[in-house]
Structures are given as C-alpha cells and as structure tokens.
Amino acid sequence: MRNPEHGNKTSITEFNLRGFGMLPELQIFLFLLFLVIYIVTVAGNLLIVVLVVADRHLHTPMYFFLGNLSCMETCYSSTLLPEMLAVLLTGDQIISVSGCLIQLYFFGSLVGTECFLLLVMSYDRYVAICNPLRYTAHMGVKACLQLAGSSWLWGFLGNGITTLAVSQLTFCGPNGIDHFFCDPVPLIRLSCDDPQMMEMLAFTLTLIFLLVPFLLTLTSYICIIATILRIPSTSGRQKAFSTCSSHLTVVTIYYGTLLISYMFPTTDLLGDFNKVLSVVYTVLTPLVNPLLYSLRNKEVKEALRKVRKKFIFG
C-alpha cells in the first residue's frame, strides 16, 4: 500500500479538524447547543438502562435489547461529543494521529454495533408478531445474551480491521480533515499512499457491517408489516404496530442518513450536506432514541411513573 515516492517525506503527527472552522461566529451557540444535547442524551439513555434493570416488568427480550441500545448510545455520544465540545469552546482543532485512530476505532465499532443491535431488535419483533407461538422458545435468556453479545463483538472486531489498515497508511500532508470528527472517508483521502486498496477494503466492510444488516432489517419489517395487514381487527393492527413503531422510526432516521453518507460518492459539492447528515446520525439519533421509547411506549412510561412516585414519596 505504501508509495515509495513518499518515502523521504516527513510523516505528520497531528490532524486539523476543520468541520466547524467556517462558522466561527456560531461556535459559542453550537457549544451550548451540543452541550445541552449531550447532557440530555446521556441522562435519557442512562435512565432507560436504569428502568430496564430496576423494573421487573421490563425484564423481557425487547427491553433487554433496548437497554443494550441505550448503553451503546451513551458510549457512542461520549466518543464524539466531548472532543467536539472542546474544539468549539477552545477553538483548538488539533488532534493527534493516535487520538484520531482511537476515535476512529470506537466510533466505527459503535456504528457497527448499533447496526447489529437494530437488526437483532427487528428480529425480536419479527418473531413476536410473525411467529408468536415460538417466541418464548426462540427468544430465551441464552439466545438474547448470545444475540446482544454477538452484536457488540462483531462491531468491535469488524472495525478493528479498518482501524488497523488505516494505521498502516502514511500521512505526509496536508493534515486538514474537513469534518468535525475522524471520519474514515476524509481520513483515507489524506494518505500519501495509493488509496485504491484502502477504499476497496472500506467499501467491502461497509457492505458487510452496514448494508447487510440494513437489508436484513428491511426484510424483517416487510414480513412484519405484511403480517400486521392480515390482522382482521383495527385495534389488533394498531396494537401490533405500536410494539415496533418506535424502533422503526429509529431505523428509518439512522439508516437513512448513514447510507447516504457512506454508500454514495462524496464530492466537494456534497461535503457540507454530508456534515449535516453526520450530525443527524452521530448527535441527534442518540438523543431521539430515549425520547421515542419513553414517550411512545406505555411500559416505559409506567416504569418511569413508578420510579418518580417512589422518589417523591420515598
């Protein structure tokens, strides 16, 4: 992968994150906005985790996976937002190469984990709605632990390959990343090496860890919707759809922005648009998840009511 003609050039040791460099007059506003979003995101997702653990009525496969998703979203936000807030507050856009690789590894791993967790949650709803008589047999404690554990394992192992490959690239300038975090696409383009092999590897891994889970999730929901439409009563259809409506909304927002960002060619014209999409799936989606699941879910609202009542009245 190395190009000999760059062998005598000095390798750079840091990158310049220029994602918000064009908006200096809005940095304080953006700092306050993202700070509030980060606090609400972490508090909301941790609250979901606490409710799932504390309330025995939520000790079901669906809420077990929701707890995993909320835990993942907390880690996801904490991987990107603190660095983003520091850049907005201090104006220091410099990040070391090693720091960039660490951020790249955890960001990519958690993206992969979320894709697999969303797939597992769609499979859970598929079994519950399309094969309800087999639900208990298919979604036992052992099966749930294996599905959740595999989602985390494959997410972190898969992105380890990408991060290891990126770490072998030579960066000799320029060092400006036109993004607000160490995104793999602009990072690879800064390499002095021939990017063709690396771009092929990144595209292949994107197919495996993004497109395949999306297609399987889409297939699950096609089967779910087809089954719901065959339910004779309107109340029955509404009840069945309500069990997966929050998850379907999250899947639509998350994959809609993620697929456009990574599966379509990036041009200078679309660069700013991709940054906006990146804000949606890195910042807004972790914020929306707890709101959707708490405001549109009777069991979660009931558990929250019990906790609030216990806290107020002791």
Side-chain angles (χ1 to χ4, degrees):
M1 292 174 63
R2 294 188 182 277
N3 191 335
E5 71 182 49
H6 295 293
N8 294 327
K9 291 189 177 181
T10 303
S11 296
I12 62 175
T13 59
E14 57 189 23
F15 294 112
N16 185 7
L17 297 174
R18 303 183 304 179
F20 297 115
M22 302 300 292
L23 303 170
E25 67 281 359
L26 295 178
Q27 286 193 345
I28 297 300
F29 169 75
L30 291 174
F31 170 79
L32 295 174
L33 175 64
F34 287 137
L35 178 61
V36 172
I37 289 176
Y38 181 53
I39 293 173
V40 174
T41 298
V42 172
N45 281 291
L46 288 180
L47 178 61
I48 294 291
V49 174
V50 170
L51 291 177
V52 170
V53 172
D55 195 315
R56 60 183 180 86
H57 293 99
L58 300 183
H59 292 177
T60 63
M62 182 174 73
Y63 294 109
F64 171 72
F65 296 131
L66 175 58
N68 273 268
L69 182 66
S70 294
C71 181
M72 190 281 309
E73 296 287 25
T74 303
C75 299
Y76 188 39
S77 297
S78 298
T79 299
L80 299 180
L81 276 171
E83 177 69 26
M84 189 190 307
L85 291 171
V87 170
L88 289 171
L89 182 63
T90 65
D92 183 6
Q93 301 173 334
I94 301 300
I95 184 172
S96 66
V97 172
S98 58
C100 190
L101 291 174
I102 291 172
Q103 188 185 75
L104 172 65
Y105 173 68
F106 283 102
F107 162 72
S109 298
L110 291 168
V111 167
T113 299
E114 179 156 11
C115 290
F116 285 116
L117 281 175
L118 291 176
L119 170 60
V120 167
M121 293 175 77
S122 70
Y123 173 71
D124 171 72
R125 292 299 84 203
Y126 164 77
V127 178
I129 294 174
C130 300
N131 296 286
L133 298 179
R134 298 182 181 180
Y135 185 74
T136 303
H138 279 278
M139 303 304 294
V141 174
K142 183 179 179 180
C144 290
L145 290 173
Q146 289 176 338
L147 288 170
S150 298
S151 298
W152 287 89
L153 180 63
W154 282 110
F156 277 81
L157 283 180
N159 192 60
I161 300 173
T162 303
T163 307
L164 180 62
V166 172
S167 68
Q168 303 303 308
L169 297 176
T170 301
F171 299 98
C172 52
N175 69 338
I177 298 178
D178 189 21
H179 220 307
F180 55 85
F181 67 96
C182 290
D183 187 65
V185 175
L187 187 60
I188 291 171
R189 291 181 177 176
L190 292 180
S191 170
C192 304
D193 303 315
D194 182 1
Q196 185 174 2
M197 185 182 298
M198 187 63 216
E199 288 179 350
M200 182 62 67
L201 173 63
F203 181 75
T204 302
L205 292 175
T206 300
L207 286 177
I208 297 173
F209 293 98
L210 176 58
L211 189 58
V212 171
F214 168 71
L215 292 177
L216 291 175
T217 301
L218 181 63
T219 302
S220 295
Y221 270 105
I222 290 174
C223 296
I224 288 170
I225 293 173
T227 300
I228 290 176
L229 291 177
R230 290 197 295 267
I231 297 175
S233 66
T234 302
S235 60
R237 289 195 297 269
Q238 290 177 342
K239 183 178 180 180
F241 186 74
S242 67
T243 65
C244 58
S245 59
S246 297
H247 180 255
L248 182 58
T249 303
V250 171
V251 167
T252 302
I253 297 172
Y254 184 71
Y255 275 115
T257 54
L258 201 61
L259 286 171
I260 294 174
S261 295
Y262 287 103
M263 296 302 296
F264 291 91
T266 302
T267 63
D268 293 336
L269 183 63
L270 296 176
D272 291 336
F273 179 61
N274 279 337
K275 290 179 193 176
V276 175
L277 293 178
S278 298
V279 170
V280 174
Y281 69 79
T282 60
V283 178
L284 297 184
T285 302
L287 171 68
V288 168
N289 282 359
L291 295 177
L292 284 174
Y293 283 107
S294 60
L295 296 177
R296 301 179 62 180
N297 190 292
K298 293 181 180 180
E299 289 85 357
V300 173
K301 287 193 288 187
E302 179 63 22
L304 184 59
R305 186 189 65 80
K306 291 179 181 178
V307 171
R308 186 171 61 244
K309 183 178 178 180
K310 184 177 180 180
F311 178 77
I312 294 175
F313 297 104

